[in-house]
Amino acid sequence: MNLTCIECKNQVDTSSYPNLAKDQVIECNHCGITLMVKDISNSGDVSVDIVDEGK
């Protein structure tokens, strides 16, 4: 799946979330911000919202 952090613009490693689903909360492995999955497109692009500003 393709997920770019909307805060730091780095690619987020989604391999630790094998069953990624809408409304799931994940953390950016680069900046530590907490993100909630809004949608996953058929092509694998993931859109997210910021839940917590992180570390």
Side-chain angles (χ1 to χ4, degrees):
M1 291 196 204
N2 302 316
L3 172 54
T4 302
C5 178
I6 54 178
E7 181 71 16
C8 70
K9 309 300 185 222
N10 286 303
Q11 197 69 16
V12 178
D13 179 15
T14 58
S15 64
S16 58
Y17 304 99
N19 300 316
L20 194 61
K22 186 176 178 186
D23 296 329
Q24 184 172 350
V25 175
I26 63 174
E27 184 176 293
C28 176
N29 50 306
H30 295 281
C31 69
I33 199 166
T34 305
L35 305 165
M36 181 177 287
V37 176
K38 287 191 318 186
D39 191 39
I40 302 172
S41 72
N42 291 336
S43 63
D45 292 326
V46 181
S47 59
V48 292
D49 277 334
I50 295 174
V51 176
D52 184 25
E53 292 295 328
K55 304 169 185 157

